């Protein structure tokens, strides 16, 4: 029997509006990967609803880690995402250092469409670079990449040259592999761009634009990326699989005219993730 890989997912649990753990658990399970949630907060609904109830679980994280150490559990990947307080940065750092052999993926969740999320304080955003410094791979969207680099959010189309320079600068902050999502390149298509410092290669992937935005899209992308990497794909093949499945679910959601807060209608599509198919469509930049 194939070995089942384990991911510690340091993320929130939001009851309504598919994002974070309600996306990560089903997606990675469909890809044959076990998710061990380390909830950072429990919310009635994600912060995009404007009104929500949130229970911060900062005090839960270290006792949970101590328990895992006592149990001697190993993780193949430690994946951090939505955090509820700047103290949780310290706790994530403890998780990363407790499992040195695990793939360290930091999704520096902070905002989208040029704006920070409601609960993200300037202090929390400033400290996100501490996680980026210890990561193997990071997956910011364009907004988060701009925040990490202290740049203005680029409205409209951006040049490949600018994205290459941002990828290198982000990688200089720590991670060997950097992927930036939600980039509009000069051809007007929705692009994902990646950099692998180990061999100095850049790649890009274009997807046709779905003219809408939905919550949890970044969580979908990062989950499929992790599942693909843990199933043995390389960075460009994993980016392709993640971007193509994300586009597929975006399109279905758009056709059903769902409100953006509902997130992606992926449940009927999970079967597509079970088989290990997908074509590497990345091209060199
Ligand atoms: O998908 C990012 C995300 C995760 N978790 C919560 C959020 C958001 C974005 O709004 O509010 C609670």
């Amino acid at each position: 029997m194939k070995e089942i890989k384990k991911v510690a997912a340091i993320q929130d649990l939001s009851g309504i509006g598919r994002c974070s753990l309600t996306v990560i658990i089903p997606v990675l399970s469909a890809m044959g990967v076990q998710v061990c949630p380390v909830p950072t907060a429990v919310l009635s609904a994600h912060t995009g609803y404007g009104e929500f109830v949130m229970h911060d679980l900062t005090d839960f994280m270290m006792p949970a880690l101590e328990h895992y150490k006592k149990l001697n559990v190993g993780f193949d990947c430690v994946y951090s995402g939505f955090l509820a307080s700047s103290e949780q940065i310290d706790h994530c750092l403890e998780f990363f250092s407790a499992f040195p052999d695990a793939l360290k993926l930091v999704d520096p969740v902070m905002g989208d469409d040029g704006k920070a999320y409601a609960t993200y304080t300037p202090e929390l955003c400033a400290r996100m670079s501490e996680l980026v410094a210890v990561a193997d791979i990071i997956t910011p969207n364009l907004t988060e990449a701009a925040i990490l680099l202290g740049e203005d959010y680029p409205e409209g189309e951006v040049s490949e040259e600018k994205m290459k320079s941002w990828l290198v600068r982000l990688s200089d902050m720590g991670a060997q592999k950097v992927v930036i999502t939600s980039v509009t390149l000069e051809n007007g298509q929705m692009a994902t761009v990646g950099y692998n410092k180990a061999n100095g290669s850049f790649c890009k992937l274009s997807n046709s634009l779905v003219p809408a935005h939905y919550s949890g899209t970044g969580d979908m992308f990062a989950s499929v990326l992790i599942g693909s990497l843990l199933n043995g794909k390389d960075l460009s093949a994993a980016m392709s699989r993640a971007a193509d499945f994300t586009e597929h679910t975006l399109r279905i959601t758009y056709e059903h005219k769902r409100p953006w807060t509902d997130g992606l209608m992926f449940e009927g599509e999970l079967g597509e993730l079970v088989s290990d198919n997908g074509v590497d469509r990345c091209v060199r930049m």
Side-chain angles (χ1 to χ4, degrees):
M1 207 187 84
K2 203 178 115 189
E3 182 210 351
I4 301 288
K5 301 261 173 85
K6 277 215 272 311
V7 177
I10 309 176
Q11 289 271 8
D12 72 278
L13 182 65
S14 288
I16 301 287
R18 305 169 179 95
C19 69
S20 303
L21 288 171
T22 58
V23 172
I24 295 160
I25 296 172
V27 165
L28 279 167
S29 298
M31 297 180 83
V33 173
Q34 181 188 355
V35 178
C36 305
V38 182
T40 56
V42 178
L43 292 91
S44 55
H46 65 65
T47 63
Y49 279 84
E51 216 176 281
F52 51 88
V53 183
M54 173 162 145
H55 274 248
D56 178 323
L57 292 175
T58 302
D59 292 343
F60 163 83
M61 292 173 69
M62 282 304 92
L65 176 59
E66 290 314 316
H67 187 209
Y68 298 149
K69 284 184 185 163
K70 222 192 265 177
L71 289 176
N72 220 4
V73 232
F75 294 109
D76 300 285
C77 172
V78 176
Y79 162 30
S80 71
F82 181 94
L83 304 181
S85 70
S86 63
E87 261 179 278
Q88 291 190 352
I89 299 274
D90 296 313
H91 302 341
C92 288
L93 290 169
E94 295 280 352
F95 262 88
F96 286 128
S97 72
F99 304 100
D101 298 334
L103 174 72
K104 300 189 252 329
L105 188 138
V106 171
D107 187 0
V109 173
M110 290 185 281
D112 205 357
D113 273 340
K115 292 179 285 293
Y117 295 133
T119 54
Y120 269 68
T121 60
E123 189 194 357
L124 179 50
C125 291
R127 291 202 61 199
M128 196 57 82
S129 59
E130 296 175 42
L131 293 186
V132 167
V134 301
D136 297 314
I137 173 161
I138 61 170
T139 57
N141 60 31
L142 190 61
T143 304
E144 292 153 351
I147 297 173
L148 286 170
L149 294 174
E151 295 277 358
D152 288 335
Y153 174 69
E155 299 281 353
E157 296 182 357
V158 286
S159 69
E160 272 189 33
E161 285 318 303
K162 181 168 186 148
M163 282 303 94
K164 282 169 89 167
S165 117
W166 281 30
L167 286 165
V168 172
R169 285 171 60 199
L170 286 168
S171 145
D172 286 343
M173 292 172 73
Q176 283 278 312
K177 296 186 177 117
V178 178
V179 178
I180 307 179
T181 61
S182 306
V183 178
T184 311
L185 290 179
E186 286 133 317
N187 58 10
Q189 289 205 311
M190 183 49 65
T192 309
V193 294
Y195 176 57
N196 188 349
K197 194 177 200 159
N199 57 14
S201 65
F202 295 91
C203 62
K204 71 170 175 180
L205 184 74
S206 288
N207 283 84
S208 51
L209 183 72
V210 177
H213 155 88
Y214 298 97
S215 65
T217 305
D219 305 318
M220 174 62 75
F221 179 88
S223 304
V224 181
L225 187 86
I226 290 171
S228 304
L229 291 171
L230 293 180
N231 284 327
K233 289 194 189 291
D234 65 13
L235 182 66
S236 68
M239 279 170 59
S240 297
R241 187 99 169 96
D244 288 349
F245 187 74
T246 304
E247 185 204 324
H248 174 63
T249 52
L250 270 165
R251 194 160 299 288
I252 282 171
T253 311
Y254 184 65
E255 281 162 8
H256 282 80
K257 301 191 173 21
R258 303 303 304 161
W260 77 270
T261 43
D262 270 8
L264 298 169
M265 293 175 66
F266 64 84
E267 292 82 356
E269 313 308 311
L270 287 172
E272 301 221 350
L273 289 174
V274 173
S275 61
D276 187 25
N277 54 20
V279 177
D280 184 351
R281 294 190 305 101
C282 279
V283 293
R284 291 201 167 257
M285 282 166 86

